[in-house]
Amino acid sequence: MNTSNNRQWKVARSPAQGWPSEGDFKFITTDIPDPGENQLCARTIYLSMDPYQWIRLRVGAEKAGDVCHGRTVSQVLKSRVDDYAEGDFIFNTNGWQDYGLTGEGISVFDYMFPRKIDPALAPISTAVGVLGMLGLTAYAGVYIQCQPQPGETVVISAASGGVGQNAGQIAKVKGCRVVGIAGSTEKCKLVTDTFGFDAAVNYKDDDFAEQLAAACPDGIDIYFENVGGAVFDVVKSLLNQDSRISLCGLISMYGNDQIGGTLEHFHGAWTEAGKAVFDQRNVTVQPLAVFNFVKDYQDQFLSEMGAWVKDGLITYKEDIWQGLENAPDAFSAMLSGDNFGKTLVQVSDEP
Ligand SMILES: NC(=O)c1ccc[n+]([C@@H]2O[C@H](COP(=O)([O-])OP(=O)(O)OC[C@H]3O[C@@H](n4cnc5c(N)ncnc54)[C@H](OP(=O)(O)O)[C@@H]3O)[C@@H](O)[C@H]2O)c1
């Protein structure tokens, strides 16, 4: 799978609209870049597929002709950066391409610093999954924002996905009763049998509302919100007095042109839908943005979550697509629920 040139997926139109389609991306081939001073060139091994990439495209954060943004696990090919040597594995943001530059003058969000990955500690793919931003998102939302107490009922939507699977397992570690919501029987089985949730409910079933109520006989103390829309309409009726919500994501809205394409639009529509219940039941809503937790919690998260994974308290399921050429299909599949676990694209071989 390793190539001697650099294939890239570029943004074809900006801002994008609706849900992704073929015309949003363009596949080209160019040369492998040479690193300048204080830069390194790295070969992409795993490319993470994340819903926020679509929000960035919808708001025009990337322009037509830019390489599509994406978090990656890479291996250093050539380095002109102190402390980084050829062969090192790193978490970086190569984007949707075989080879990318990292370092001085290369624009990334400041919280997405490159970081070395020790392949002896865990499989390197976990640096964009359970031991990366996804795991930190779940840790920040469930553990830090909602402070789960033993015996509380915690409900997680998009429970089988990258963030959801971690969120529920963290709540289990904290002694809660955990109920997952997912979009198929197979996903519900994954959630209970592999991730150890106490129950899982398929929101596509006609009697979803009745099933969720039966799975939460004491109501809901904590809701980890990943989807919004029809799922939230059912969940909100079961929220307890003084319950807490971590507002992590609203994926059901991300392609809805009627609502608009920004986070503010999504949050506004969702808050409007929940407002009456929030007021009546004194619900605490905490919007979650993982980048606000990196500086203060990254080290604590890595040590605690790393130990939970090592001790088998937390496991993970990855859905790995093969080949950079398939990145747009993998991306669309993840957004529409046609994934089974955390979605990654393997761009080149692990050495
Ligand atoms: N706040 C932050 O900093 C932060 C960071 C990372 C991620 N997030 C958010 O976390 C959420 C999950 O992200 P992820 O990377 O872990 O993705 P994921 O859960 O692995 O994949 C997305 C899942 O969303 C579900 N979904 C799609 N459309 C839906 C709909 N209309 N109704 C209900 N469920 C739907 C699908 O599962 P089903 O088959 O079960 O429907 C799909 O598998 C997203 O909302 C994302 O924006 C937020």
Side-chain angles (χ1 to χ4, degrees), residues 49-52 55 71 133-134 137 158-164 181-184 187 203-204 226-228 231 247-252 254 288-291 334-339 341-343:
M49 296 280 112
D50 296 289
Y52 81 95
I55 301 177
R71 297 166 182 159
M133 291 290 172
L134 276 196
T137 304
S160 73
V163 176
I181 300 172
S184 71
K187 286 185 176 185
Y203 69 90
K204 292 179 181 165
N226 277 323
V227 305
V231 169
L247 175 49
C248 173
L250 293 167
I251 196 165
S252 72
Y254 293 169
L288 175 61
V290 65
F291 51 80
M334 179 275 297
L335 286 171
S336 65
D338 207 4
N339 58 339
K342 159 60 193 155
T343 310

Side-chain angles (χ1 to χ4, degrees), residues 236-251:
K236 74 182 181 206
S237 64
L238 297 170
L239 289 170
N240 286 334
Q241 192 71 25
D242 301 323
S243 51
R244 295 94 81 197
I245 297 178
S246 174
L247 175 49
C248 173
L250 293 167
I251 196 165

Side-chain angles (χ1 to χ4, degrees), residues 44 52 54 76 115 137 166 173-174 183 228 262 268 282 304 316 343:
T44 311
Y52 81 95
W54 186 237
V76 177
R115 143 177 107 72
T137 304
N166 293 313
V173 169
K174 293 293 154 190
T262 69
N282 191 35
E304 205 159 11
Y316 57 91
T343 310

Side-chain angles (χ1 to χ4, degrees), residues 52-96:
Y52 81 95
Q53 293 164 303
W54 186 237
I55 301 177
R56 283 180 58 78
L57 290 170
R58 288 214 52 198
V59 300
E62 279 138 53
K63 304 294 172 217
D66 288 352
V67 175
C68 298
H69 162 89
R71 297 166 182 159
T72 46
V73 171
S74 310
Q75 187 173 32
V76 177
L77 183 74
K78 207 172 188 187
S79 176
R80 297 183 64 192
V81 180
D82 289 347
D83 300 334
Y84 286 85
E86 187 185 325
D88 283 348
F89 294 102
I90 56 173
F91 162 77
N92 67 342
T93 46
N94 260 3
W96 296 23

